[in-house]
Amino acid sequence: MCPAAALCVLSGLPAAGKSRLARELRERAQARGWRTLLVTYDDLIPAGDWRQSEWKQYRKTVLMCLERFLHQTLSDQTHTLSDQTHTLCDQTHSLSGQTHTLSGQTHTLSGQTHTLSDQTHTLSESDGVWMRFDRMQQQQSVSHTHTHTHTHSQPLVVLLDDNFYYQSMRYQIQQLARKYGVGFCQVFLQCPLHVCLQRNRCRPQPVPDEVLLQMCERMEPPNEIRNPWEQQSLTLDSTEDIADGHIQKLMDLLVSALENPLSPVQDESKQKEADRRLCASSALHQADQTCRRLVSQTVASARGQASPDVMKALTKALIELKTVFLQELKKDVLHRVSVFPEEPVDVEKLLEDVSTAFQRRLHEILCKHTTA
């Protein structure tokens, strides 16, 4: 019988205090005799000015590493993984400088002269994520091999330390927990932007201010009413040090997640449909935020260059444009979800298109009112 296990997401802005809280939770969990694995995304994904596609690939690889870990750890001691079920790590790659097969072409990463395309470079970096995950697992002495019955029976808590600013990111973790029949919970650290900016600037390797500002705009805190799957959530104010009583509440949340594992989905088709609609809903929410930001920027740029009456008319016209634009977008997105059920919703591409189209229409209205 598999031991109790739970995945716990810690989300919030950079410098909100997630890493320190994660370490505190790990210490308290270990004091109870629980096995723990602290997955720190910053330690797995290399820092760099990555393209959106590359960044998504890194996050996908971390998710694959996590699934491999769960599959191996939660399997019975005598269970042998077949080639068919071991779909996540049967791809040919070497973690010790052996020959890698990337993009169908075999090349040796041993200092030989070779030219890597952008795609191959991304896959090579993804292999680095696998290596860092394995090293992280070894350093924390968490193994999927069960040599002692006592160790095998200990609860397992996996703490995931990342910003997780889109609810869709957290939903992926929840679905992974459901797939393997383990518990799920999440903690959101609420901290004012100015406090995070101040703390961040004192870090050895601070996140650029503009990145933190963008993340703040995109942040989607847990919403238990809108998303029933987020009911196992706790929001804490991390402006000051988190009180011991609040940390105890977090431990109680972990206990609840361990005692209430999610039931695996039986009907995959219905789950996929629900996933796509949830993704579409998230995309529309992000589009609304994008449009609000663009309207604010347009009004700010026009202020001082137009009379009060013109500004009043301009503001009214921009708000009306946003309302109509989002209504049209909602109809279009939901129509595509219904008509093309197998086609995934590309949120990033959708937001790029929304930004381009909305800015064009904003410019038209701006010209109409300021040149009249």
Side-chain angles (χ1 to χ4, degrees):
M1 182 177 179
C2 293
L7 304 182
C8 177
V9 166
L10 288 89
S11 64
L13 291 176
K18 299 182 298 297
S19 296
R20 183 171 57 177
L21 176 61
R23 291 191 294 268
E24 176 69 23
L25 289 176
R26 179 176 62 179
E27 291 178 4
R28 296 206 179 195
Q30 291 175 344
R32 294 192 180 198
W34 299 351
R35 292 178 297 156
T36 63
L37 177 65
L38 173 54
V39 180
T40 305
Y41 277 56
D42 285 347
D43 293 342
L44 297 176
I45 300 178
D49 187 18
W50 305 115
R51 294 194 299 268
Q52 186 71 21
S53 59
E54 293 174 328
W55 180 75
K56 288 177 64 178
Q57 178 61 41
Y58 295 141
R59 295 190 65 85
K60 181 178 179 181
T61 304
V62 174
L63 201 63
M64 292 169 67
C65 291
L66 182 58
E67 179 161 9
R68 180 191 63 171
F69 170 78
L70 288 175
H71 195 126
Q72 295 173 333
T73 303
L74 300 178
S75 296
D76 289 335
Q77 190 171 355
T78 58
H79 181 65
T80 301
L81 296 178
S82 66
D83 290 339
Q84 182 177 5
T85 57
H86 197 34
T87 57
L88 294 179
C89 55
D90 278 348
Q91 304 169 356
T92 306
H93 68 278
S94 170
L95 302 181
S96 59
Q98 299 174 1
T99 302
H100 285 229
T101 302
L102 295 177
S103 303
Q105 298 180 352
T106 304
H107 64 277
T108 304
L109 299 180
S110 59
Q112 299 179 0
T113 302
H114 58 280
T115 302
L116 296 177
S117 63
D118 289 341
Q119 181 180 8
T120 304
H121 175 71
T122 301
L123 291 175
S124 177
E125 288 291 351
S126 294
D127 277 345
V129 174
W130 286 95
M131 288 189 288
R132 286 185 284 273
F133 189 95
D134 287 341
R135 184 165 58 246
M136 176 193 66
Q137 183 179 330
Q138 293 169 3
Q139 290 174 346
Q140 297 185 41
S141 302
V142 181
S143 174
H144 60 265
T145 56
H146 310 307
T147 55
H148 300 289
T149 303
H150 174 66
T151 300
H152 179 50
S153 63
Q154 292 176 325
L156 169 66
V157 173
V158 180
L159 301 167
L160 301 164
D161 175 12
D162 188 40
N163 304 301
F164 289 106
Y165 51 89
Y166 286 152
Q167 59 89 17
S168 57
M169 297 174 177
R170 305 190 297 272
Y171 185 67
Q172 289 179 326
I173 305 299
Q174 192 267 358
Q175 286 300 289
L176 188 60
R178 181 175 291 281
K179 179 177 181 179
Y180 285 90
V182 302
F184 170 80
C185 62
Q186 56 183 3
V187 182
F188 175 66
L189 293 188
Q190 200 167 44
C191 187
L193 176 61
H194 72 275
V195 174
C196 291
L197 285 169
Q198 185 177 10
R199 290 177 182 172
N200 177 64
R201 290 165 186 159
C202 297
R203 286 176 159 184
Q205 294 180 319
V207 175
D209 282 1
E210 57 270 21
V211 172
L212 206 153
L213 290 170
Q214 290 176 2
M215 203 173 295
C216 183
E217 290 182 356
R218 298 175 181 175
M219 181 63 69
E220 298 176 351
N223 189 328
E224 301 176 25
I225 298 177
R226 179 183 172 192
N227 305 317
W229 59 270
E230 292 193 296
Q231 290 180 358
Q232 284 277 59
S233 302
L234 187 61
T235 298
L236 295 178
D237 186 342
S238 60
T239 307
E240 304 291 342
D241 290 340
I242 298 177
D244 186 75
H246 288 155
I247 294 180
Q248 183 56 49
K249 287 183 179 180
L250 294 182
M251 294 303 298
D252 293 342
L253 183 67
L254 288 175
V255 170
S256 177
L258 288 169
E259 294 177 346
N260 297 279
L262 304 180
S263 300
V265 177
Q266 301 298 325
D267 190 339
E268 291 292 335
S269 61
K270 289 184 178 180
Q271 185 60 49
K272 287 181 179 180
E273 174 65 16
D275 291 350
R276 294 183 73 253
R277 288 192 172 276
L278 186 65
C279 186
S281 176
S282 175
L284 291 171
H285 175 68
Q286 294 170 46
D288 178 76
Q289 290 182 316
T290 298
C291 291
R292 288 175 183 271
R293 174 173 51 81
L294 291 173
V295 167
S296 297
Q297 292 175 352
T298 302
V299 171
S301 66
R303 188 172 290 116
Q305 302 179 24
S307 66
D309 289 341
V310 170
M311 285 301 302
K312 182 177 180 180
L314 174 62
T315 303
K316 180 181 179 181
L318 293 179
I319 293 175
E320 291 177 350
L321 168 64
K322 180 179 73 70
T323 301
V324 173
F325 183 87
L326 290 174
Q327 288 175 346
E328 294 174 351
L329 179 66
K330 182 177 181 180
K331 290 180 181 179
D332 180 59
V333 171
L334 295 181
H335 174 73
R336 276 188 281 174
V337 169
S338 300
V339 176
F340 305 105
E342 298 301 321
E343 182 180 323
V345 178
D346 190 334
V347 177
E348 283 74 20
K349 179 63 167 57
L350 176 64
L351 293 179
E352 288 178 5
D353 293 343
V354 165
S355 180
T356 300
F358 193 64
Q359 285 187 76
R360 183 173 59 252
R361 293 171 70 170
L362 282 176
H363 181 69
E364 292 173 356
I365 290 182
L366 181 62
C367 292
K368 177 180 176 182
H369 283 77
T370 58
T371 59

